[in-house]
Amino acid sequence: MIAYLKGTVREVRDASAVIVAGGVGYEVHCPASALGKLSVGDEAELNIRHIVREDAQLLFGFSDADSLRLFDLLTGVSGVGPKLGLALLSAMPVSAVAQGLLTGDVKLLSSVSGVGKKTAERLVLELQNKVPEHLAAAGTAGGGAARAAAPTSTAGRDAIEALLALGFREPQVRGVVAELLAADPAQSADALIRKGLGRLR
């Protein structure tokens, strides 16, 4: 089983990247936050979850161990597959997802495309006592940071619209803006756009 991959980024796609290691190109499905850090030609190091199915072998890559751990917890819940796990981790930072699970914030979790209210309730029920508290603290600046981390502020929405208008893919844009807001929720739209461009290019 593949647990770690280090190689050169050959291609960055909508929800995956092709990493060349040892002369072999591996397609790795990644959350938007990880994709936003990858650039063609650069070297990448990813923590890998290798999932084997009857009809396919899939690689899911994460830029840090906390993201992988939360992905494992999410996909361990009945009815939550890798696609939905990635959707949650693409829509908001790890700290926001973890905080939502710990506090039972069904509304926050169900705001993610593809996550219905019943699925959000099941996630809270099964994971509320399993999510390590340090995951919720990572990258937050205060008690309300988790909610602020999701790009729901006016500046965040404006930045997302501007970056989408420039042709960048929505999952990557949302992930990058969410990370920037998690670091500093008070940033202006101009600052978010400028920093977002630096990460997306």
Side-chain angles (χ1 to χ4, degrees):
M1 301 292 282
I2 299 173
Y4 168 83
L5 189 63
K6 179 178 181 179
T8 304
V9 181
R10 180 180 178 87
E11 186 179 350
V12 179
R13 302 173 178 174
D14 288 351
S16 65
V18 177
I19 310 295
V20 177
V24 179
Y26 297 89
E27 181 178 17
V28 185
H29 301 272
C30 304
S33 57
L35 285 176
K37 297 175 182 177
L38 301 179
S39 297
V40 174
D42 287 353
E43 185 175 77
E45 296 184 52
L46 295 170
N47 297 289
I48 300 293
R49 179 58 66 232
H50 185 185
I51 296 179
V52 179
R53 295 176 172 172
E54 289 184 4
D55 58 344
Q57 293 194 39
L58 304 173
L59 300 179
F60 296 87
F62 305 88
S63 55
D64 58 84
D66 285 345
S67 296
L68 175 57
R69 186 170 186 181
L70 190 53
F71 176 78
D72 285 341
L73 287 171
L74 292 168
T75 54
V77 174
S78 176
V80 179
K83 184 177 179 180
L84 202 54
L86 280 188
L88 279 158
L89 294 175
S90 289
M92 60 189 85
V94 166
S95 57
V97 178
Q99 185 72 15
L101 293 168
L102 287 169
T103 60
D105 195 338
V106 171
K107 185 176 181 181
L108 174 67
L109 297 172
S110 61
S111 69
V112 176
S113 178
V115 181
K117 184 180 179 182
K118 288 185 178 179
T119 299
E121 290 173 344
R122 186 162 63 250
L123 284 167
V124 169
L125 179 65
E126 295 194 27
L127 299 181
Q128 194 165 30
N129 296 320
K130 296 181 180 178
V131 175
E133 291 189 7
H134 81 271
L135 294 185
T140 61
R147 185 174 294 278
T152 54
S153 67
T154 299
R157 288 194 296 271
D158 289 348
I160 287 172
E161 289 180 8
L163 291 169
L164 289 176
L166 292 172
F168 293 106
R169 302 294 184 181
E170 185 170 356
Q172 291 175 268
V173 168
R174 287 189 174 278
V176 167
V177 172
E179 278 201 343
L180 292 171
L181 282 172
D184 181 4
Q187 293 183 84
S188 67
D190 287 344
L192 291 170
I193 293 168
R194 185 175 66 255
K195 293 177 182 177
L197 283 171
R199 292 197 183 190
L200 291 164
R201 283 177 173 168

